[in-house]
Amino acid sequence: NAITSFCTNHYYDIMFKMNKLTSETNVNKKDLTVEIDLYADITTGSAPALRDPPEFKIAPANGYLLGQRPDEPDWFHKGTEVYEKNIRQVLAGFRDHYERMTSNHILVFGRYPNGQTGIYRIQLMSEDTGVPLFSDKALDAFSRAMKHDDSCLLEVFGPGQASHITERRHFKRRKPA
């Protein structure tokens, strides 16, 4: 699935943005939605999520859940017949995924290259430790690693594992200044 691949390939980008937003707003990770647009823009010819660096948004989920939807992405067919026809079932699916989320998931709303949308609960696991990579524990480790040092990532990736060494390098390389 393209959405899962995006989350795997851009794990650090997602975690850095999620950490920043949860720290600044004190909003729980469960109450956020990652919005990924894989649909190619007519003017640029490229999909925002496939640009370098990738463009994606992390937004509050409560607008979707409360029916207000003030933060819906622009690409959500607002003001069209498609929107009016499909909005109820999309929101029902959104609520269903939200209600079934655990602390190990992130909620992702994506648009595919064909223009269709989908809602997903994404959970990735560390190959070495089995720790869920989008868990509250992993986000907490990222938060501490951002403030102090990257040894906090041991909790997620495991000590002495080849993947831990690689992951620490990725973390240092991608860490925002």
Side-chain angles (χ1 to χ4, degrees):
N1 168 319
I3 299 295
T4 303
S5 292
F6 179 91
C7 292
T8 302
N9 294 333
H10 301 288
Y11 172 71
Y12 285 95
D13 300 317
I14 293 169
M15 290 297 278
F16 287 135
K17 275 191 177 185
M18 195 159 284
N19 173 63
K20 183 176 188 223
L21 195 58
T22 58
S23 298
E24 289 174 355
T25 63
N26 211 23
V27 171
N28 189 318
K29 173 183 67 79
K30 180 182 178 179
D31 296 324
L32 298 173
T33 304
V34 179
E35 296 173 352
I36 301 170
D37 189 2
L38 297 167
Y39 186 79
D41 184 309
I42 294 171
T43 57
T44 64
S46 67
L50 301 178
R51 295 180 186 143
D52 187 21
E55 297 173 20
F56 65 95
K57 183 177 171 186
I58 298 181
N62 66 350
Y64 292 100
L65 298 168
L66 299 174
Q68 300 160 337
R69 304 181 307 278
D71 298 320
E72 284 178 346
D74 292 337
W75 44 263
F76 199 48
H77 303 292
K78 291 181 195 173
T80 68
E81 186 179 317
V82 171
Y83 179 87
E84 296 303 322
K85 182 179 174 185
N86 296 320
I87 189 65
R88 283 186 184 86
Q89 72 186 60
V90 169
L91 291 178
F94 195 96
R95 283 187 197 100
D96 180 56
H97 280 286
Y98 178 83
E99 289 168 3
R100 293 188 295 138
M101 282 181 58
T102 69
S103 63
N104 298 329
H105 292 101
I106 59 170
L107 190 62
V108 179
F109 183 53
R111 179 168 70 159
Y112 288 99
N114 65 4
Q116 293 182 348
T117 59
I119 302 145
Y120 303 91
R121 288 174 299 131
I122 303 289
Q123 175 178 316
L124 302 176
M125 304 289 276
S126 167
E127 292 178 13
D128 294 321
T129 64
V131 172
L133 297 178
F134 285 124
S135 66
D136 290 346
K137 178 181 177 179
L139 186 61
D140 180 57
F142 258 79
S143 180
R144 286 183 285 123
M146 294 290 291
K147 292 175 188 167
H148 306 293
D149 75 83
D150 61 9
S151 64
C152 300
L153 297 177
L154 289 170
E155 297 170 26
V156 178
F157 299 108
Q161 302 290 340
S163 68
H164 174 256
I165 295 163
T166 303
E167 297 305 333
R168 284 181 79 176
R169 270 192 225 122
H170 285 306
F171 178 84
K172 288 178 180 179
R173 204 174 304 134
R174 296 185 105 113
K175 182 179 176 182

